[in-house]
Amino acid sequence: MARLILLNGAPGTGKSTLARRYADDNPLALVLDIDTVRRMLGASLVDPEASGLAARRLALAMAREHLAAGHDVIVPQFLGRIEFVLELESLAASVAVPFLELTLIADPDAVIRRFAERSAEPTSDEQRDAWTLQERWGGLDALRGACARVETVAAARPAMCTIEVVDGAVDDAYAALRAVL
């Protein structure tokens, strides 16, 4: 049976890496990165709030189709507010698939360090855009708040499972993800 999997976490916690690894181990699983969908929209950085909302609407439609076809969808996304979590939960219920909620928790200093290292020498448009948006939202110091908001969302969701991530322990984090799933 298909599953809708939310992998929440602050920027730099390894959401995309773990989601990609999950998809590599599960044929036809869809890694539905909302930021990637947003980048597909014209001039998405001009109005990141509007493009983010449009990307979420498109992602929900994509997820619905893929779940209805019987395939897993994993959404690696920083969600510091609960609204989109509720939309994902509603989508899962509407197509009668399990909704699994996981949150990656990391030390804020480690998150800041990883994000800064990744942003110092971006290797993709995704990383450049992430840095641009992070600068608009308060720079590296704002990542502490992002970590706190992720934990607040996790605390508000009784079914949310948390996975502690540690620098250099990707295999351990993936094993924990697999154990929960």
Side-chain angles (χ1 to χ4, degrees):
M1 168 181 265
R3 302 176 293 181
L4 178 56
I5 304 161
L6 168 61
L7 189 56
N8 192 12
T13 55
K15 299 176 303 293
S16 297
T17 298
L18 294 176
R20 183 76 259 149
R21 193 157 169 190
Y22 177 82
D24 289 345
D25 289 345
N26 294 275
L28 295 180
L30 173 64
V31 176
L32 189 48
D33 186 324
I34 310 299
D35 295 332
T36 299
V37 175
R38 181 185 42 77
R39 276 189 305 285
M40 298 168 85
L41 299 169
S44 64
L45 294 181
V46 171
D47 188 349
E49 186 173 330
S51 63
L53 292 172
R56 286 180 176 185
R57 285 191 306 274
L58 290 166
L60 289 168
M62 292 170 66
R64 177 180 303 282
E65 289 300 315
H66 208 60
L67 291 164
H71 306 292
D72 285 355
V73 174
I74 186 166
V75 180
Q77 184 66 31
F78 161 55
L79 297 175
R81 293 178 298 193
I82 204 151
E83 292 82 8
F84 193 60
V85 177
L86 298 175
E87 289 182 68
L88 291 169
E89 181 179 46
S90 177
L91 169 62
S94 75
V95 293
V97 301
F99 178 49
L100 304 166
E101 305 173 60
L102 298 97
T103 296
L104 301 179
I105 303 293
D107 173 68
D109 289 331
V111 167
I112 290 168
R113 185 178 58 257
R114 278 195 299 269
F115 194 88
E117 288 170 357
R118 183 176 72 189
S119 299
E121 295 183 31
T123 59
S124 67
D125 289 340
E126 172 184 313
Q127 290 176 351
R128 279 184 281 283
D129 286 359
W131 176 252
T132 299
L133 291 173
Q134 191 61 44
E135 281 294 298
R136 287 184 191 171
W137 295 329
L140 292 175
D141 289 336
L143 290 171
R144 285 189 197 290
C147 291
R149 287 193 308 279
V150 164
E151 290 186 27
T152 298
V153 169
R157 302 290 298 169
M160 183 82 67
C161 297
T162 59
I163 297 171
E164 188 166 335
V165 293
V166 178
D167 278 348
V170 175
D171 289 341
D172 291 343
Y174 186 64
L177 176 110
R178 294 297 301 186
V180 170
L181 298 178

